[in-house]
Amino acid sequence: MEEYMTGFFTFLKKEKGATASTMESYRRDLNGYLCFLAKEQIDDLLGVDSETVEQYLSELSAVGKAGTTVARNLSSIRSMYHYFVEKGLLQKDPTLGLHIDRGEKKTPKILTNLEVELLLEQPKSIDSKGCRDKAMLELLYATGMRVSELIALNVEDVNLQERYIQCGEGEHKRKIPLYETAVYCLSEYLKKARPYLVYRFDEYSLFVNCKGGRFSRQGFWKLLKHYQNMAGLKKEITPQILRQSFAIHLLENGADVRSMQQLMGHVSSATTQGYARIAKERIRDVYHRTHPRA
């Protein structure tokens, strides 16, 4: 990535005549974006899709960044990818079609409890694929983990006896408890589906595709979209929206910010505080809409 970034900043300075303050603004915005990609274990800057960029922008909104700040970050990222396209390093700009309202904070999209139930009901455990898909969706909502963490799981990370799963790396590494349904779905997958999906005895990936290898990030996005359509849900559903829904639902039901920070793997409490703010606003909105004397 360093080589690409060096080329871009040289372009800004020599060909665009960017000032020192402009360069610093780009550097600050893009450093934040690169840190996000690293956290998501994405090491191919040129292979990023629009959903990933949108996920990053959603996270900025979730921590309370103003619409103008989120829009500026999108502009910086777009300028970088436009440069890559002009230089022939990339065929399509992943930021095309993405827009941010500068006048407002972009409130993260959250699924209702009913929408979550509808989604999780779609995979049917009538074959190995359905059993796997049900376990993946149930686990993602049960833990609120990042999709990169989900597909990076190995069999040894699961402890069904003590009902927890270990995920993440470094400062993001953590143990997350599992509720009964998630434990059941994982147990069924490990006993009845995974043995028929793996081809090699030395395959340690928890979730594998139909070729027996580790499930991919792109594969999970397609899986999620498939079951969204099956559920008849018009609201867009992404792994990040499921993660945000997990956080907001727990906070609405009394979870404290410190515990949520540990469950979500947030290094900074500011990110979790952003979710807490949204949860309070949602509760206040429900009160004013439903209380007979409000």
Side-chain angles (χ1 to χ4, degrees):
M1 289 190 187
E2 185 176 349
E3 179 183 350
Y4 297 133
M5 299 306 298
T6 299
F8 175 62
F9 283 111
T10 300
F11 165 78
L12 286 178
K13 184 176 182 179
K14 293 186 176 180
E15 297 189 35
K16 290 295 184 179
T19 64
S21 60
T22 299
M23 293 278 286
E24 180 58 29
S25 178
Y26 271 103
R27 198 176 303 278
R28 183 172 56 250
D29 291 346
L30 294 176
N31 279 344
Y33 177 60
L34 293 178
C35 287
F36 166 77
L37 294 183
K39 180 181 68 178
E40 292 293 315
Q41 299 178 7
I42 299 172
D43 54 11
D44 182 6
L45 184 61
L46 302 181
V48 170
D49 54 25
S50 60
E51 289 86 357
T52 301
V53 179
E54 185 175 21
Q55 181 180 346
Y56 174 61
L57 300 176
S58 294
E59 287 207 358
L60 291 179
S61 297
V63 300
K65 298 296 184 183
T68 51
T69 301
V70 180
R72 191 199 67 228
N73 274 266
L74 173 57
S75 179
S76 297
I77 296 169
R78 177 170 284 148
S79 295
M80 177 186 66
Y81 281 119
H82 184 68
Y83 161 78
F84 292 155
V85 171
E86 280 192 338
K87 293 299 180 181
L89 299 171
L90 195 62
Q91 289 188 341
K92 183 180 178 181
D93 180 355
T95 68
L96 290 176
L98 297 181
H99 300 283
I100 299 295
D101 186 345
R102 292 175 178 270
E104 301 177 355
K105 293 179 181 178
K106 186 180 178 185
T107 302
K109 301 172 184 176
I110 303 297
L111 300 179
T112 65
N113 290 327
L114 178 58
E115 288 169 334
V116 170
E117 290 297 326
L118 282 172
L119 178 68
L120 298 183
E121 286 174 359
Q122 297 314 306
K124 308 300 181 187
S125 302
I126 57 177
D127 56 18
S128 297
K129 181 179 179 297
C131 192
R132 177 203 63 196
D133 295 353
K134 192 170 189 66
M136 291 186 81
L137 288 181
E138 197 71 54
L139 185 59
L140 195 66
Y141 180 67
T143 62
M145 68 175 64
R146 303 171 179 90
V147 66
S148 56
E149 294 172 331
L150 178 74
I151 62 176
L153 291 172
N154 291 324
V155 175
E156 64 182 12
D157 295 320
V158 180
N159 189 323
L160 294 179
Q161 186 174 358
E162 297 187 23
R163 299 191 172 195
Y164 74 81
I165 196 159
Q166 181 172 275
C167 73
E169 294 183 348
E171 56 192 2
H172 298 294
K173 194 167 186 177
R174 59 205 185 278
K175 291 181 179 179
I176 307 177
L178 300 174
Y179 52 66
E180 186 175 349
T181 303
V183 171
Y184 174 79
C185 290
L186 267 176
S187 177
E188 289 293 286
Y189 165 67
L190 288 170
K191 290 188 297 185
K192 300 180 179 179
R194 189 179 180 278
Y196 298 98
L197 291 171
V198 294
Y199 294 162
R200 301 181 346 183
F201 290 109
D202 60 348
E203 178 57 65
Y204 303 115
S205 307
L206 176 59
F207 294 113
V208 295
N209 56 33
C210 294
K211 295 182 179 180
R214 187 177 296 275
F215 211 85
S216 70
R217 181 188 181 90
Q218 293 78 11
F220 186 80
W221 276 84
K222 292 178 181 178
L223 177 154
L224 195 56
K225 181 62 65 176
H226 171 69
Y227 289 116
Q228 174 191 336
N229 293 334
M230 283 187 63
L233 297 173
K234 302 301 181 184
K235 187 182 294 183
E236 181 187 14
I237 302 178
T238 67
Q240 177 64 10
I241 288 175
L242 271 182
R243 178 170 159 83
Q244 291 170 174
S245 299
F246 162 86
I248 299 299
H249 291 169
L250 263 65
L251 287 165
E252 287 178 337
N253 284 284
D256 63 275
V257 173
R258 178 58 181 166
S259 296
M260 284 305 305
Q261 182 181 350
Q262 294 176 343
L263 287 172
M264 298 286 284
H266 291 154
V267 177
S268 170
S269 62
T271 305
T272 321
Q273 290 286 356
Y275 284 117
R277 173 185 55 79
I278 295 164
K280 290 179 181 178
E281 290 174 356
R282 281 167 53 87
I283 293 172
R284 189 182 304 116
D285 180 59
V286 169
Y287 173 86
H288 286 297
R289 283 191 293 104
T290 59
H291 195 290
R293 296 180 66 85

